[in-house]
Amino acid sequence: MASTAACEPIENSLKLSGKKSFAGIPEATFVEDVDAYMKDRDGVESILRQLDEQHGKYKFMELNLLARKKKLKSQIPDIQKSLDMIQVLEAKRKTNEQIETQFLLSDLLYSRAIIEPTDKVCLWLGANVMLEYTLEDAKTLLEKNHETAMKNLAQVHHDLDFLRDQMTTTEVNMARLYNWDVKRRQALNAK
């Protein structure tokens, strides 16, 4: 089963690659000097609207990344179960033993089956496609899929961290601009 600890070596290598975002998330720029930033701008309301729109886009991206993370976290155990089953089939083939098992017919209805030693297995590839592979080919394919899923999960974690930083930067910018506008209005009212 994949845990966050299992993704750490991949995440560390992603950080070393220097890539900020794998999903093409735009970087938010921090407004250090609000006075200089607002000097050539029309009005604070339009800027706040733009920042709010950008924040909404970041939220949408976060929802998509979280859905992708959830999908990957459910795929990884399935791939691992398939790899484990291939190991069982290989072991039983070597000893020439049958496997007695139960398979699902419908909800809560199982049937017994005896699996003869075999060197072939069928894998669901998706989109209602199933292909027959030798045990070695199936194992190779599943290991490649497992590695790819782990890498993608690490990239999603990396992108979520980057995205959260961008959301925080945008929120801080909005607060600073709003506070700048409040102080500016108070100064105008005082005059």
Side-chain angles (χ1 to χ4, degrees):
M1 180 158 191
S3 66
T4 307
C7 291
E8 284 180 15
I10 297 172
E11 283 182 6
N12 290 338
S13 68
L14 294 177
K15 289 175 185 169
L16 293 175
S17 72
K19 198 163 191 181
K20 292 185 179 182
S21 170
F22 292 92
I25 300 167
E27 187 172 5
T29 54
F30 180 70
V31 178
E32 289 200 34
D33 185 5
V34 179
D35 289 324
Y37 181 77
M38 291 304 295
K39 190 176 187 180
D40 298 328
R41 306 272 195 248
D42 289 336
V44 75
E45 291 84 18
S46 65
I47 303 297
L48 284 173
R49 239 181 286 117
Q50 289 173 354
L51 289 173
D52 189 47
E53 182 181 324
Q54 183 180 16
H55 188 265
K57 289 177 183 177
Y58 285 145
K59 281 292 204 186
F60 179 74
M61 288 179 213
E62 182 184 37
L63 287 174
N64 287 332
L65 284 172
L66 288 172
R68 187 168 177 217
K69 177 182 172 183
K70 183 178 178 182
K71 182 181 175 194
L72 285 168
K73 281 192 163 224
S74 71
Q75 278 181 343
I76 291 170
D78 289 343
I79 294 170
Q80 188 59 50
K81 285 179 192 174
S82 297
L83 277 168
D84 293 344
M85 191 62 215
I86 287 178
Q87 289 176 345
V88 169
L89 289 171
E90 286 176 333
K92 295 294 183 178
R93 185 186 68 183
K94 287 177 184 173
T95 60
N96 206 21
E97 291 180 50
Q98 297 176 337
I99 301 173
E100 187 174 328
T101 187
Q102 296 178 354
F103 63 94
L104 185 68
L105 288 175
S106 67
D107 291 339
L108 304 173
L109 181 62
Y110 291 87
S111 179
R112 275 198 191 159
I114 296 176
I115 302 171
E116 298 293 328
T118 182
D119 63 343
K120 301 214 186 272
V121 68
C122 293
L123 295 178
W124 283 107
L125 300 180
N128 293 326
V129 175
M130 178 186 275
L131 285 180
E132 183 178 74
Y133 290 92
T134 63
L135 291 177
E136 294 80 23
D137 289 344
K139 186 175 183 178
T140 303
L141 176 68
L142 289 170
E143 286 172 345
K144 180 179 160 254
N145 288 351
H146 187 267
E147 183 182 320
T148 301
M150 293 297 289
K151 181 182 171 200
N152 289 342
L153 183 61
Q155 287 177 349
V156 167
H157 279 288
H158 178 80
D159 282 346
L160 279 169
D161 288 343
F162 179 75
L163 185 61
R164 286 185 188 111
D165 289 346
Q166 304 321 299
M167 289 170 61
T168 301
T169 301
T170 303
E171 290 166 358
V172 168
N173 284 342
M174 289 169 67
R176 293 183 76 217
L177 286 169
Y178 181 79
N179 290 340
W180 175 85
D181 189 44
V182 168
K183 286 179 185 177
R184 184 183 60 88
R185 288 182 188 183
Q186 286 174 348
L188 287 175
N189 288 341
K191 288 182 181 179

